[in-house]
Amino acid sequence: MAKIRVVVVDDSALIRSLLKEVIDTAGDMVCVATAPDPLIAREYIRELNPDVITLDVEMPKMDGLDFLARLMRLKPTPVLMISSLTEQGSEVALRALELGAVDFIAKPKMNIASKIDEYTDEIREKIRMASKAKVRSLIHDPISPSHTADAVLAKSSRPLLKSEKIIIVGSSTGGTEALKEFLMPMPPDAPAIMIAQHMPESFTKSFANRLNSLCRISVKEAEHGERVLPGHAYIAPGHSHLILGVSGANYVCELSQASPVNRHRPSVDVLFRSAANVAGRNAVGVILTGMGKDGAQGMLEMHQAGSHNFAQDEASCVVFGMPKEAIAVGGVHDIVPLKDMSQRVLAWIAANSSRALRI
């Protein structure tokens, strides 16, 4: 099998050396070139046609985001951003994803040479994922058997007796743009939406704020104990599992810092299982682009509890891992292109609810 060919672009000689070692010792990938700035990288990319590019943001001669934008216009290539992205820089990371980067990794803030081992598996796994991702033109550690949704939330067969519909969404790689496309058409009186997106905790608030500025519904980072209201979307904070709970006759957001499930916190499986437990047939499940299998078992439990579930189709996914797994276990009713997802979900709710939506 051919190795994944990677070009590393970073102005730090130390980072270039460390990343090259991480890549070259993986066995299934090789660093074919390193470049200290985008202008030199451009020549290597033309000559070598790599499978994946790792890219820093702050570099001499040309900003990493400017280079990314030009690359995606002229030669779309899977790009993994590896940068010193802090909470203040989360807007930069979100902009990189908007421009077409597949994913990002934040460098450790201090002592990177001693901490790189902690990032080795993540870097390799994301390079593998990026090599299989579908990029658009601009116009691992094994999963512990005990780390399942059972460790966070027990199964239940007694959902709350309500008629109010609620939309439950899970996503990962490629999900920031997919969620934007899904949420922007939602009308102000749409059912409440709860979202688990795999994302670092310093990014989720900025992401929610950005979506809130673009959408007709209100979008926010979920808070523990707050009531879940129609016309609102609640995004799991990056430090906690998001759980659909109940208080009296109302749905509420609950947050848990229990162990990661499927290596993730927030986990889609945990959110989906809570919807199966609490909402049953009043839940509508949506699983979007993402790597891995998080959400598959939870979506099956939603299906078994009576919910109607949608999965993004392969052609419109950046990575078809999560939808594919949910389809494979039998948890999905409808497979839908991303561009049609919001309308299909709303149409199903309108046909199966006494509540008329102003679409």
Side-chain angles (χ1 to χ4, degrees):
M1 181 181 294
K3 292 187 177 183
I4 302 166
R5 303 166 72 253
V6 185
V7 168
V8 172
V9 188
D10 197 295
D11 64 337
S12 165
L14 174 61
I15 297 298
R16 294 197 303 273
S17 175
L18 291 171
L19 289 177
K20 178 174 171 56
E21 183 177 358
V22 166
I23 293 164
D24 287 344
T25 55
D28 60 344
M29 58 188 72
V30 58
C31 178
V32 294
T34 65
D37 63 66
L39 299 185
I40 295 175
R42 183 174 59 190
E43 300 306 315
Y44 284 136
I45 293 165
R46 286 175 179 166
E47 177 186 349
L48 299 171
N49 195 29
D51 301 306
V52 177
I53 299 165
T54 72
L55 182 63
D56 193 9
V57 173
E58 296 181 345
M59 289 182 294
K61 299 184 181 178
M62 183 185 296
D63 179 82
L65 293 185
D66 291 338
F67 179 65
L68 177 63
R70 296 185 189 192
L71 180 71
M72 289 303 168
R73 280 197 300 269
L74 301 173
K75 186 178 174 57
T77 305
V79 173
L80 176 63
M81 305 299 296
I82 302 182
S83 186
S84 301
L85 298 170
T86 62
E87 184 169 0
Q88 185 177 6
S90 60
E91 288 291 332
V92 175
L94 295 174
R95 180 60 180 153
L97 295 173
E98 287 182 347
L99 290 171
V102 174
D103 209 338
F104 57 83
I105 298 174
K107 293 176 188 173
K109 297 175 184 177
M110 300 177 62
N111 302 323
I112 188 167
S114 63
K115 289 180 178 277
I116 195 69
D117 286 347
E118 300 173 16
Y119 288 75
T120 294
D121 289 341
E122 182 181 10
I123 291 168
R124 290 172 176 170
E125 190 61 29
K126 291 199 173 186
I127 287 173
R128 294 182 185 109
M129 173 273 300
S131 72
K132 301 174 184 177
K134 296 174 186 172
V135 294
R136 55 186 173 83
S137 178
L138 186 66
I139 325 182
H140 71 171
D141 293 329
I143 298 172
S144 168
S146 64
H147 284 183
T148 68
D150 292 324
V152 180
L153 203 63
K155 289 184 179 180
S156 170
S157 58
R158 294 182 295 173
L160 184 67
L161 295 176
K162 287 169 65 75
S163 60
E164 184 178 351
K165 299 295 185 186
I166 185 166
I167 301 169
I168 310 294
V169 184
S171 54
S172 185
T173 310
T176 55
E177 290 302 291
L179 286 168
K180 182 169 72 173
E181 188 164 344
F182 177 68
L183 293 176
M184 284 182 66
M186 288 291 171
D189 64 341
I193 302 170
M194 296 180 71
I195 300 164
Q197 159 72 34
H198 298 157
M199 181 176 280
E201 63 180 280
S202 59
F203 288 62
T204 44
K205 189 173 184 65
S206 293
F207 179 53
N209 291 341
R210 176 170 293 203
L211 289 176
N212 188 58
S213 71
L214 297 171
C215 296
R216 291 184 288 166
I217 62 172
S218 296
V219 184
K220 68 184 301 291
E221 188 180 56
E223 298 177 49
H224 184 71
E226 70 178 316
R227 185 178 171 188
V228 175
L229 300 171
H232 289 67
Y234 304 87
I235 296 177
H239 53 67
S240 297
H241 297 299
L242 177 59
I243 294 169
L244 176 63
V246 290
S247 177
N250 299 316
Y251 292 133
V252 295
C253 293
E254 295 179 359
L255 301 181
S256 167
Q257 292 195 325
S259 297
V261 172
N262 300 323
R263 293 186 296 166
H264 295 288
R265 188 178 63 207
S267 163
V268 180
D269 264 337
V270 171
L271 176 58
F272 282 2
R273 169 170 285 184
S274 71
N277 287 352
V278 169
R281 67 181 61 233
N282 291 315
V284 178
V286 178
I287 193 160
L288 301 175
T289 175
M291 177 178 66
K293 65 179 184 179
D294 190 28
Q297 184 60 38
M299 181 157 271
L300 177 60
E301 292 179 21
M302 288 181 66
H303 186 297
Q304 293 168 341
S307 74
H308 193 89
N309 298 331
F310 295 82
Q312 185 177 345
D313 73 345
E314 182 174 7
S316 63
C317 281
V318 173
V319 179
F320 190 49
M322 285 166 49
K324 180 180 179 180
E325 294 293 337
I327 294 165
V329 299
V332 174
H333 296 87
D334 297 314
I335 303 169
V336 180
L338 178 61
K339 65 181 178 63
D340 300 328
M341 185 67 79
S342 54
Q343 294 301 319
R344 287 285 297 274
V345 169
L346 292 173
W348 188 90
I349 291 172
N352 292 272
S353 172
S354 58
R355 202 164 155 254
L357 296 173
R358 296 189 295 275
I359 300 173

